[in-house]
Amino acid sequence: MGEILLPLLILCPLVASMIISVSAGRVGTCAIGAIACVGVGLSAILGIILSVMLLSGPAAGVLPVVLWRWIHVAGFSADIALTLDRVSMVMVLVVTVVGLLIHVYAVGYMREDPGIARFFSCMTLFVAAMLVLVLASDLLCLFIGWEGVGLCSYLLIGFWYDDPANTAAARKAFYMTRMGDAALLCGLLLLATAAGSLHIGAVLAAVADGQVAPSGVNVAALFILVGALAKSAQVPFQTWLPDAMAGPTPTSALIHAATMVTAGVYLIARLHDLFAMAAPVMALTAVLGTLTLLMAACTAMVQSDLKRILAWSTISQLGYMFLALGCGVWQAALFHLMTHAFFKALLFLTAGAVIMRAGHEQDIFRLGGLRHAMPGLTAAFVVGASALAGLPLVTAGFYSKEMILSGVWHVHFGLTREWTLSGHPLWGMALLGAFLTALYIFRCVFIVFCGKPGTVATGRTSRLMGIPLGCLCFLSLCGGVIEMPDTLPPLHLFTALLDPKTPLSHADEPVWLVLAGALAPLAGLGVARVLWGRAAPVMREIPGQAAITRLARAGWGMDALYDLVFVQPFRLLTWLAHHDILDQAITGTGRMTRAISGRVFRARAGFLDKLAVWGTRARGWAGHLLGRLDNGRVRWYAAWIAGGLCAGLAMAVLS
């Protein structure tokens, strides 16, 4: 049964994408939306059925399907094969369920857009590619899905291609992620060379058995980490994700919540046994994750565009996931990935509805007092903001973030036999990030929905857009109670689901650790309430030096750095190639040589002519002189002979 249902899980959205592409312009808007929702909905139903089948079997059971044998040569083999295990099951449910809610919302959001067929064709293809990525049991097959989500993101970010800024944002995302893809491919080639296969089980077994040298493990893990960093927009590849807001809001929700940016997290979680053998790479992952979460949180503090605030918050939350992966608590990273998909999809979809009703105004300082005109959207956004901030006990974000903080506190990085680093400093910075998260998201809440009225709201939110928001509100509030810290009523359903044999638990966790994680977002909420929650806000913009503020708004100069190091040299090479400077240099050299040769020829000809004239005149003068001397007078001859004799005798005497 599973051998039939598992391929159908991918085929449903893929076939829906093909039908929409072929029937574009021949069916109505409602039919296009229905086809897309049915395709993703069937995939969600099949995912639930397959999950029940998997959980009802043995604890370590999997559902493998080999579709066809792809590459089989001496020393290497690769198959197009799918495997559903407990890790991929979580991702399948997140992608299909959240993807279905986003598609339903998009039917109402995009109903007036003339390119709706192209939009839903790319959206369903996006879901299919992500399912290939998470279900692939071979890393080469996974790379196909990896490239597929990159292509779909390019098409969706540049969906409104009439605006050059949108196409520039799409190209930027494509180029940045391609750099990571090249690094990932290098890592896969190293593993293929050492293990003789890219089947995930075979690769991990080869690493565990020592078939891959420690240096090879470190280098391969580093290359794979670079690929994951680029796909998940982590430092130093974070610049493409804020510009990805150029696409429609459902696209932003799909990219940021359920699909593309989570691919890097999933890849490292899937290969956690490989990364566990590369301690320096693990430490680097944790440090980069911490740096990203703080940098992105500080950047979100000074943004004024509503969608860009949410984009930077996505980068920050992905930093938490990479911090957890670097600390070895990959279960916490996947748990936060799941809860983040709920509340980030809710925030983006609610923001899209607010922007639509506010006349497509995205500047938070031009919005205000919208709680009276949009009470339902206000409640949905507050729920999503609370979950993002991790308000204790009542939101899913609290439990997943607390799981990460607890794992970071207990970790120790054994870089060498003598050198061990504690995770306590990283825990402190992650706690600071939790405070900043609550501060910037409730700054957004108070400015947009409270205070003096700004932009006048019009229209109503359709039911097709409201139903997904209600479902996501429930998931954002209750989706985290399946995993609770031991200081509360201990419940570890999520970790037991991922690994029934060794569920993650910290029975010795101090109570103050949970209290610190609970008080940090509450402190951020309190400060935001004091600064922006009053009728007369204490401040409008974040104070500070103008240069620092501009630098933070510009993403700390990373765009300028990339422009200087990569873009401008590339443009110079393009200009040189376009104007064919080499050919012009060769042609110019030839012209100059011909001109110099002509000048030399003319100068030589003139000199020889003058030399001939001078020679003729000298010959005439000499003849005339000889004629004067040879005059037939004996006395002159005797005088010349005497003079010559005297000169000869004088020379003889002097010598």
Side-chain angles (χ1 to χ4, degrees), residues 368-393:
L370 295 181
R371 60 178 178 176
H372 302 293
M374 310 177 187
L377 294 179
T378 302
F381 198 91
V382 169
V383 169
S386 302
L388 171 62
L391 296 188
L393 302 179

Side-chain angles (χ1 to χ4, degrees), residues 195-269:
S197 172
L198 282 177
H199 189 279
I200 295 176
V203 169
L204 297 180
V207 172
D209 293 342
Q211 297 180 22
V212 185
S215 59
V217 173
N218 285 325
V219 174
L222 181 60
F223 277 125
I224 294 173
L225 174 62
V226 172
L229 292 173
K231 189 69 76 174
S232 296
Q234 298 293 283
V235 170
F237 303 100
Q238 79 283 0
T239 58
W240 69 267
L241 193 57
D243 291 340
M245 298 298 98
T249 297
T251 295
S252 302
L254 193 64
I255 291 176
H256 288 244
T259 54
M260 182 172 172
V261 296
T262 60
V265 178
Y266 170 76
L267 177 62
I268 297 179

Side-chain angles (χ1 to χ4, degrees), residues 181-557:
D181 295 350
L184 174 61
L185 188 58
C186 292
L188 298 186
L189 292 175
L190 287 175
L191 293 176
T193 303
S197 172
L198 282 177
H199 189 279
I200 295 176
V203 169
L204 297 180
V207 172
D209 293 342
Q211 297 180 22
V212 185
S215 59
V217 173
N218 285 325
V219 174
L222 181 60
F223 277 125
I224 294 173
L225 174 62
V226 172
L229 292 173
K231 189 69 76 174
S232 296
Q234 298 293 283
V235 170
F237 303 100
Q238 79 283 0
T239 58
W240 69 267
L241 193 57
D243 291 340
M245 298 298 98
T249 297
T251 295
S252 302
L254 193 64
I255 291 176
H256 288 244
T259 54
M260 182 172 172
V261 296
T262 60
V265 178
Y266 170 76
L267 177 62
I268 297 179
R270 168 62 71 187
L271 301 176
H272 63 271
D273 289 337
L274 168 67
F275 279 82
M277 303 290 289
V281 179
M282 290 279 284
L284 178 62
T285 305
V287 170
L288 290 177
T290 306
L291 178 63
T292 301
L293 72 91
L294 287 177
M295 180 274 298
C298 293
T299 306
M301 286 292 300
V302 298
Q303 297 294 318
S304 59
D305 186 288
L306 180 56
K307 290 181 67 175
R308 290 183 75 87
I309 292 173
L310 298 180
W312 282 107
S313 77
T314 298
I315 297 173
S316 180
Q317 297 307 302
L318 289 167
Y320 273 104
M321 300 176 206
F322 273 84
L323 171 60
L325 292 171
C327 293
V329 282
W330 58 273
Q331 302 94 332
L334 287 181
F335 186 37
H336 195 56
L337 184 153
M338 182 187 74
T339 61
H340 176 264
F342 299 152
F343 60 72
K344 189 49 62 68
L346 174 61
L347 285 171
F348 267 110
L349 298 184
T350 306
V354 170
I355 292 169
M356 176 183 288
R357 292 183 57 184
H360 299 281
E361 179 59 64
Q362 297 184 196
D363 192 330
I364 61 174
F365 295 114
R366 296 179 182 175
L367 303 170
L370 295 181
R371 60 178 178 176
H372 302 293
M374 310 177 187
L377 294 179
T378 302
F381 198 91
V382 169
V383 169
S386 302
L388 171 62
L391 296 188
L393 302 179
V394 295
T395 63
F398 166 74
Y399 296 104
S400 59
K401 200 169 292 185
E402 172 57 35
M403 188 176 178
I404 293 176
L405 292 172
S406 176
V408 173
W409 176 263
H410 291 89
V411 76
H412 289 83
F413 298 99
L415 300 180
T416 63
R417 293 180 180 178
E418 298 82 13
W419 190 18
T420 301
L421 296 179
S422 172
H424 295 175
L426 299 180
W427 176 87
M429 289 184 278
L431 195 66
L432 175 60
F435 168 80
L436 293 175
T437 301
L439 184 60
Y440 72 70
I441 194 60
F442 279 103
R443 163 184 175 259
C444 185
V445 169
F446 289 130
I447 292 175
V448 173
F449 297 100
C450 302
K452 297 180 180 179
T455 304
V456 178
T458 59
R460 294 178 60 86
T461 304
S462 66
R463 187 170 298 177
L464 276 176
M465 297 169 64
I467 292 175
L469 296 181
C471 297
L472 289 170
C473 282
F474 174 78
L475 293 173
S476 299
L477 293 175
C478 305
V481 296
I482 59 176
E483 186 74 25
M484 303 175 71
D486 290 326
T487 51
L488 299 175
L491 188 63
H492 303 290
L493 295 179
F494 185 81
T495 52
L497 176 69
L498 292 178
D499 191 358
K501 298 179 181 178
T502 56
L504 186 65
S505 176
H506 296 293
D508 58 343
E509 183 177 19
V511 177
W512 67 265
L513 201 63
V514 178
L515 289 177
L519 291 177
L522 291 176
L525 171 59
V527 174
R529 175 70 176 82
V530 171
L531 297 179
W532 296 286
R534 299 179 179 180
V538 174
M539 68 173 64
R540 177 180 174 89
E541 298 277 2
I542 299 296
Q545 298 295 328
I548 297 177
T549 304
R550 289 197 302 269
L551 186 63
R553 287 176 181 168
W556 305 99

Side-chain angles (χ1 to χ4, degrees), residues 110-131:
M110 299 292 293
R111 63 180 182 273
E112 304 294 337
D113 196 289
I116 187 171
R118 178 165 52 90
F119 173 79
F120 275 111
S121 176
C122 294
M123 288 281 281
T124 49
L125 182 61
F126 207 150
V127 173
M130 189 65 187
L131 290 174

